[in-house]
Amino acid sequence: MEMISMSRKERKRLEAFSRVKMGGMTLVEAGELLGLSYRQTKRAWSRYQSEGDAGLVHRLRGRAPNRHSPEEVKQQSLALYRQQYADYGATLAAECLKKEDGLEVSVTTLRRWLLQAGLLDRRRKRRPHRRRRMRREHLGELVQMDGSFHDWFEGRRGWATLMVMIDDATGMVTARFYEKESWASSSDSFQRYARRHGVPRGLYVDRHGIYRPDGEPTDADLLDNCLVETQFGRAMRELDVELILARSPQAKGRVERMNGTLQDRLVKALRRAKISDLDSANQFLDEVFLAEFNARFAVAAAGAEDWHRPLSAVTDLSRIVSIQESRVVAKDWTLRWRNRVLQLPRETAEFIRSGQRVTVCEPLDGVLRVFAGEREVCWSAILAPPLPKPAKRSGPTGSSQGHKPAANHPWRGRRRVATGLEPTVPPPPEAKKMAGSTSARCARLAEPAIFKV
């Protein structure tokens, strides 16, 4: 018996024409039921009369599409995927096949081939539980920054951190590799971004200790309306950048999703380029990868204006984004900084008094700068005086437990030794045994001490 596969629409036509054949329905009624014109209903009815049930099946069923890919292209694509792109997704694999191997296959076609061959898992995204925040309207209105610690080089070197900055309005990405996420890497990333694009109006970061102070403000701080802030937070306040601390990873989801995208695409790009060190990776990011990535995935902002504030000639960015602490000038016009003694020159005595506080700045390059207000002061390093050596203690640990008292030490007997006095003759050994009883101890305590002069 021949098996005929039909769609739901074709089965509905078969049921209607069966009723017409048995006289229970006219062609006009069948056309109204099927949503067909009378002319189209007559053509389908004539095919049903001449060919039977098979006449209602679509004519193209079982035939190859006119735009189908040749079988050799399919086999070649699957072979290359097994050899070179086994951990790639369908979208990235289709791009690499076109760019690297000259095989142009659509993403949907390649995904279907991979699913049929069992080379790709059918993944379903979790149902979103948050409402997605709309993009900001202008370039530079808000920039999200985050560090991604990952095995970017797949074991060719140790793990590294990629500091990623993405504009919220356009999705433009700026990134750079560092050993770890620290104050130095965050500050260097921000300075590079500000010198290239300008200072953004807002910066969205997580609640890392670099951006969020651990301590609570004291009573004096609250009375002076002085908030506790980190060095990075102080720098953003001086640059008039709104520092927003996210309370969850989903709050800054744009940069979090970008981290996942780069952990897929950038890792494979570094593998193809055979890069295994940070300097070459940063050069590859600046010259090759980010330009192509932004050209493809960045979008146009809703507003045409650029809200970045350009750096003026008087803005000392390296001073602002630095470690700053105040120090007290001593009477000899010196100040201390991390076990170093800095000597201020004689000329500074005209505007700096002893006991006055100055600000010491340590930029990323490590060259210290001293400021009295807004005026920079030169300095010279001098050797710090040696610290006094601690006094030696008896014994390896300074304890007296290993010391044995002398034979005439008062601790050894009941009678005390005084200057010019001599204790009585010690009792015989058999008397010591009797002295150990309770009654003997009580009697001994009641007796007066006897000394010979």
Side-chain angles (χ1 to χ4, degrees), residues 183-252:
W183 177 87
S185 59
S186 302
S187 302
D188 184 66
S189 297
F190 181 83
Q191 289 191 52
R192 289 177 181 272
Y193 182 92
R195 288 191 172 96
R196 184 173 182 179
H197 304 285
V199 179
R201 301 298 179 94
L203 189 65
Y204 212 156
V205 295
D206 54 18
R207 303 181 73 83
H208 196 283
I210 304 169
Y211 320 109
R212 179 184 62 86
D214 295 330
E216 296 293 334
T218 61
D219 296 338
D221 294 335
L222 294 176
L223 291 176
D224 297 339
N225 197 17
C226 180
L227 299 179
V228 180
E229 56 187 4
T230 62
Q231 293 286 347
F232 193 89
R234 174 200 51 76
M236 295 301 103
R237 175 176 54 80
E238 294 182 7
L239 290 171
D240 196 18
V241 177
E242 182 185 6
L243 187 64
I244 306 174
L245 303 180
R247 296 189 176 273
S248 65
Q250 292 81 4
K252 52 183 183 64

Side-chain angles (χ1 to χ4, degrees), residues 51 79 154 203 349 405:
E51 301 179 18
E154 299 177 305
L203 189 65

Side-chain angles (χ1 to χ4, degrees), residues 69-240:
S69 301
E71 183 66 22
E72 55 271 16
V73 175
K74 175 182 178 180
Q75 297 302 328
Q76 188 177 1
S77 301
L78 293 178
L80 288 173
Y81 185 87
R82 291 188 182 97
Q83 296 173 3
Q84 303 179 16
Y85 313 116
D87 55 345
Y88 285 38
T91 303
L92 184 57
E95 296 175 8
C96 293
L97 285 174
K98 180 180 179 180
K99 183 178 179 180
E100 305 289 340
D101 306 297
L103 293 177
E104 187 171 358
V105 182
S106 66
V107 177
T108 55
T109 301
L110 182 60
R111 182 178 290 110
R112 186 178 69 252
W113 290 349
L114 296 176
L115 289 173
Q116 291 174 355
L119 300 177
L120 190 67
D121 296 332
R122 190 181 297 274
R123 301 176 182 176
R124 293 184 178 272
K125 293 185 178 180
R126 294 186 301 175
R127 186 176 181 179
H129 66 286
R130 292 176 181 266
R131 178 182 176 184
R132 179 169 293 187
R133 178 180 56 82
M134 300 299 295
R135 290 178 180 267
R136 297 295 177 95
E137 295 184 359
H138 299 88
L139 176 66
E141 185 176 356
L142 180 67
V143 175
Q144 298 186 19
M145 182 171 70
D146 189 33
S148 177
F149 188 63
H150 184 68
D151 187 11
W152 295 98
F153 301 91
E154 299 177 305
R156 298 189 297 274
R157 74 176 302 278
W159 285 38
T161 296
L162 181 68
M163 296 298 300
V164 181
M165 299 182 68
I166 177 172
D167 182 75
D168 192 76
T170 62
M172 182 185 64
V173 178
T174 303
R176 190 169 182 83
F177 282 107
Y178 299 91
E179 288 291 347
K180 59 182 179 179
E181 184 177 5
S182 60
W183 177 87
S185 59
S186 302
S187 302
D188 184 66
S189 297
F190 181 83
Q191 289 191 52
R192 289 177 181 272
Y193 182 92
R195 288 191 172 96
R196 184 173 182 179
H197 304 285
V199 179
R201 301 298 179 94
L203 189 65
Y204 212 156
V205 295
D206 54 18
R207 303 181 73 83
H208 196 283
I210 304 169
Y211 320 109
R212 179 184 62 86
D214 295 330
E216 296 293 334
T218 61
D219 296 338
D221 294 335
L222 294 176
L223 291 176
D224 297 339
N225 197 17
C226 180
L227 299 179
V228 180
E229 56 187 4
T230 62
Q231 293 286 347
F232 193 89
R234 174 200 51 76
M236 295 301 103
R237 175 176 54 80
E238 294 182 7
L239 290 171
D240 196 18

